[in-house]
Amino acid sequence: MIQAFGLTSNARKEHPPAVDDVSFEARAGSVTALLGAPGAGKTTALRLMLELQQGRGITYFRGRPLHRIAHPSREVGVLLGDVPGHPARSVRGHLRMLCAAAGVPARRADEVLEVVGLVSLRDERLGSLARGMDRRLGLACALLSDPHTLVLDEPAGELSARESRWLHGMLRAHAAQGGTVLFTTAQPKEAARSADRVVTLEQGRLVADQEAGDFARTRLRPRVAVRTPHAARLAALLTKEARTAHRSVEVVREEGNRLSVYGSTCADVGETAFRHDILVHQLADEIGDMGPGAGTSPKGGPETGDEPRVPAPSAERSEAAEGPEPAAAVHPPHEARATAVSPLRDTAVDPAAQPTTTSSPATPGPRAPSPTRSRLVPLIDPEETTGTLPPARAPRPSRAATLDALPPLPPPISVRSAPSPLRPLRYELRRATGIGTGFLTGAAVLVVSALTALLLARIGHTPQSRLLAAWPRELPLPPAALGAGLLGAFAFGDEFRHPALAADRGTVPRRMGLLLAKLLVAAATALLLGLLTVGCDAEVLYLVYGRELAQVPTDWLSASASWTGLVVGCAWAGVLAAGIFRSTTAGLAAVVAVPILVVPLVHKALEGPAVRAAAGFPLRLRKVFLLQWPFGGERYLSAAARVVVQPVGGALALSLTALLCAYLLTTLRSRVR
């Protein structure tokens, strides 16, 4: 079950908070609707519950707040807005990637596709899905980890009637298996038809928390409000005439001398009272909570004509959500001119301002679904909707007493990153290979590199090592290094642009496991790209100009070490910069900035006067370890040392160190917050 207490968003400047002290409960085995007009605070309430937005309050999911649940995605399935994902990724590929993030087997993707009816569209791209199919995919993402609780924001928005019935049928089936379902909607009829309990928000405040049957009767259907000292007699007469005329009329006795007549008009009720000489004090059309006692449980059972009654809950559903029936909210009799708010209107309505007669017949409301018994969070204070008591009956307390009586503020809500993906390496592999961006980038790099090598060979005066790498002296970086940096920048850039991990809790976590997985995949991709580039250039040079230009250079060892360090370093720089600045463009800019900005600074530092030199460093290092390097290992160590002391290598090492420190600093900062 879900228990939300004191949800309050942070106010912005002079504007009131979007959600102000909202508390409600969604029980297991039932469907709860969070109803409100656009701007009422429904989405903000969900984000506060899921710890995606800072504010105050606390929400328990089966007795635990979300940040104390080891794997939130396995407890709560979330759908906020459209399905987050790269539009070029396939439906099945997207779900398999989320399987790795949630730590569930990959076959689970095929299982949920069959459940939501998307098996035939599993190879379609996300960007080509219609609205209804997108909603189905969103439900599949929420059900992927088999969570106990579903939290959905406007799941049936912009869907056809048939698709909405299917969606709510799925939610009902999940609740029937013991799960908890909470969804938001702006349609009162949808809430009454599809939910067991309706929680109504208006302007960020809770105005009602009712069973669906009570909601459909008191807040959805139009009625005629009658106040007469002969309420029992008039109710019996109205019921008798409705049965005689075979009309669907329901008469409900409210507290005091008030009647609520559903399915009739002011004219019909007034004529009946006039024919039988019954004195009437009030006769008005009402819709929703527009009078004292509206929304409360009636003192007696309804006296109906031909209107069918709401069926009693089944034994199975009652056992799934057992609990005492909530007590009725009693309004004082003197509050005859109460001002309440209807969920179908944007302004408050005064019942005394309503016309006493009307010529248009009232339309009976829809048939309410079977309600589920559950505990009720206390409704909003009656004084907030019906006015305060007169001073003679309720003296106003002093300011000091009021301050002492104020409840303590709810605890603050902190935004915390989700512990996902649970299998970062598998997730990153599926993310990188699930779309064709990486393959297209690699193909473009190979073509550009081959053409550049041919052009350099035709011009001449290019060393063999630079010729094989297609790296002219006029360019800061070769095509392979730029391509590796771009692929590395995609690792985090695509996450922030199309956040696949938003299916968990809406953020891209800054976890070291995810960073290491991205660095490892980026390094492997860069090495593969560098090897293919050199091989492709050598093959093209051999085909066009013969064996002479395709020979291996004599300093191949140091050249290979430099080439490996260059492409891997560029890829890592792209990963770290994109993770820090949350942009692919920023990641690629950081890669290009190394030879343009950092290398000149390193040149100036190395050109200064030096008293000592690092000559003979490999030999002295071997003496320190007192070991003989097998297979000529001193050559490899010497080659690595020469790479580090090169201006480009040193600049790249400095850049990577700075970017890594900045990434760790932002990670620690977000955790402290």
Side-chain angles (χ1 to χ4, degrees):
M1 63 181 297
I2 302 175
Q3 296 171 305
F5 301 102
L7 297 179
T8 304
S9 62
N10 294 334
R12 295 185 177 180
K13 297 182 179 179
E14 299 179 356
H15 299 281
V19 174
D20 188 7
D21 195 19
V22 172
S23 301
F24 64 92
E25 185 177 287
R27 296 193 62 85
S30 63
V31 179
T32 304
L34 194 60
L35 175 66
K42 306 184 298 297
T43 303
T44 303
L46 295 188
R47 293 182 63 85
L48 290 172
M49 295 169 57
L50 298 171
E51 299 178 1
L52 299 178
Q53 182 172 331
Q54 293 182 350
R56 288 192 171 272
I58 191 169
T59 304
Y60 292 105
F61 297 88
R62 291 204 289 182
R64 293 178 298 172
L66 199 63
H67 62 270
R68 294 192 178 276
I69 299 176
H71 305 304
S73 62
R74 297 184 180 180
E75 176 65 28
V76 184
V78 180
L79 175 59
L80 300 178
D82 295 333
V83 176
H86 199 288
R89 199 179 304 278
S90 67
V91 171
R92 187 170 182 264
H94 181 75
L95 290 177
R96 286 173 63 88
M97 182 178 60
L98 294 182
C99 285
V104 298
R107 64 176 181 274
R108 178 67 178 170
D110 297 323
E111 295 175 358
V112 295
L113 284 176
E114 185 176 356
V115 170
V116 301
L118 288 180
V119 177
S120 60
L121 300 178
R122 63 180 184 178
D123 294 327
E124 294 292 328
R125 305 300 176 184
L126 298 186
S128 64
L129 294 180
R131 180 64 178 177
M133 299 301 103
D134 184 82
R135 295 289 88 189
R136 290 183 181 231
L137 179 59
L139 185 58
C141 295
L143 294 172
L144 197 61
S145 301
D146 194 17
H148 175 271
T149 304
L150 293 180
V151 178
L152 313 174
D153 186 20
E154 296 281 357
E158 302 179 10
L159 295 185
S160 63
R162 180 174 176 270
E163 292 170 336
S164 297
R165 287 194 299 270
W166 174 89
L167 179 63
H168 289 297
M170 288 290 301
L171 300 183
R172 177 67 63 187
H174 182 80
Q177 296 177 358
T180 304
V181 178
L182 174 65
F183 73 94
T184 65
T185 180
Q187 303 297 329
K189 291 184 179 180
E190 178 186 358
R193 181 173 56 250
S194 306
D196 298 316
R197 191 164 199 86
V198 181
V199 180
T200 306
L201 297 181
E202 182 160 335
Q203 297 181 355
R205 298 189 66 88
L206 179 70
V207 297
D209 188 344
Q210 303 168 288
E211 298 285 349
D214 295 337
F215 170 80
R217 182 179 60 81
T218 61
R219 297 181 60 85
L220 187 61
R221 297 172 59 189
R223 63 181 178 270
V224 178
V226 185
R227 190 179 297 277
T228 173
H230 309 286
R233 181 185 171 196
L234 180 58
L237 291 173
L238 291 174
T239 303
K240 181 179 179 181
E241 290 185 0
R243 289 175 178 171
T244 302
H246 299 287
R247 295 171 53 202
S248 178
V249 176
E250 179 183 1
V251 183
V252 179
R253 286 283 305 276
E254 307 287 354
E255 64 179 59
N257 296 326
R258 178 183 169 87
L259 295 177
S260 293
V261 184
Y262 299 90
S264 186
T265 63
C266 287
D268 294 339
V269 175
E271 290 176 1
T272 301
F274 178 77
R275 287 196 305 268
H276 296 86
D277 296 328
I278 297 178
L279 177 64
V280 175
H281 291 165
Q282 179 190 12
L283 187 63
D285 284 326
E286 292 183 352
I287 299 177
D289 286 346
M290 292 164 36
T296 61
S297 300
K299 297 179 67 176
E303 302 176 9
T304 62
D306 294 338
E307 179 74 12
R309 299 189 180 187
V310 177
S314 62
E316 180 180 356
R317 298 295 300 276
S318 299
E319 292 177 1
E322 60 182 359
E325 187 72 12
V330 180
H331 298 269
H334 69 273
E335 298 174 1
R337 238 187 114 100
T339 300
V341 181
S342 169
L344 303 179
R345 301 189 179 186
D346 296 333
T347 58
V349 182
D350 191 349
Q354 297 296 315
T356 56
T357 60
T358 180
S359 59
S360 60
T363 304
R367 193 174 191 177
S370 173
T372 302
R373 297 173 59 89
S374 63
R375 291 185 177 89
L376 177 64
V377 178
L379 295 178
I380 190 172
D381 191 352
E383 295 183 3
E384 298 181 2
T385 56
T386 59
T388 56
L389 293 175
R393 298 191 180 183
R396 187 175 183 179
S398 63
R399 180 176 178 83
T402 302
L403 293 178
D404 293 339
L406 288 177
L409 289 174
I413 298 175
S414 300
V415 177
R416 299 176 174 88
S417 60
S420 65
L422 296 181
R423 298 174 181 174
L425 184 58
R426 187 177 302 179
Y427 167 83
E428 181 61 21
L429 286 173
R430 290 176 179 169
R431 185 208 62 80
T433 59
I435 56 178
T437 304
F439 300 102
L440 293 177
T441 302
V445 166
L446 293 179
V447 173
V448 172
S449 181
L451 294 177
T452 305
L454 291 176
L455 182 61
L456 292 177
R458 182 178 181 84
I459 296 175
H461 309 292
T462 302
Q464 184 67 17
S465 57
R466 281 183 169 265
L467 184 61
L468 291 178
W471 188 4
R473 297 183 183 275
E474 294 77 15
L475 295 181
L477 289 173
L482 287 174
L486 181 59
L487 292 177
F490 281 141
F492 267 121
D494 280 348
E495 290 280 22
F496 291 107
R497 187 179 179 185
H498 307 289
L501 291 177
D504 188 11
R505 285 173 58 193
T507 57
V508 179
R510 292 177 173 272
R511 293 186 62 214
M512 293 307 298
L514 180 61
L515 175 62
L516 293 177
K518 290 183 179 296
L519 291 177
L520 183 59
V521 173
T525 305
L527 288 176
L528 180 61
L529 183 61
L531 180 62
L532 290 177
T533 300
V534 173
C536 183
D537 293 345
E539 187 67 21
V540 170
L541 291 174
Y542 171 75
L543 292 176
V544 177
Y545 296 106
R547 186 179 300 274
E548 180 182 359
L549 295 180
Q551 292 180 354
V552 178
T554 55
D555 58 341
W556 66 270
L557 182 59
S558 59
S560 299
S562 301
W563 181 246
T564 301
L566 181 63
V567 294
V568 173
C570 288
W572 285 356
V575 171
L576 294 173
I580 295 171
F581 301 106
R582 300 173 177 244
S583 171
T584 303
T585 305
L588 184 60
V591 174
V592 178
V594 172
I596 296 178
L597 299 178
V598 184
V599 169
L601 296 178
V602 175
H603 268 296
K604 290 183 178 180
L606 294 179
E607 288 176 356
V611 179
R612 297 288 186 270
F617 170 73
L619 182 60
R620 290 193 297 272
L621 187 62
R622 184 179 63 179
K623 291 181 179 179
V624 169
F625 286 102
L626 299 178
L627 293 174
Q628 294 293 328
W629 293 91
F631 307 108
E634 63 273 6
R635 293 187 303 164
Y636 301 100
L637 186 60
S638 177
R642 283 196 296 270
V643 170
V644 173
V645 299
Q646 288 179 359
V648 177
L652 196 56
L654 289 176
S655 300
L656 289 176
T657 303
L659 290 174
L660 183 59
C661 292
Y663 186 91
L664 295 178
L665 180 62
T666 54
T667 301
L668 294 177
R669 183 181 178 185
S670 63
R671 290 184 179 180
V672 169
R673 284 183 175 179

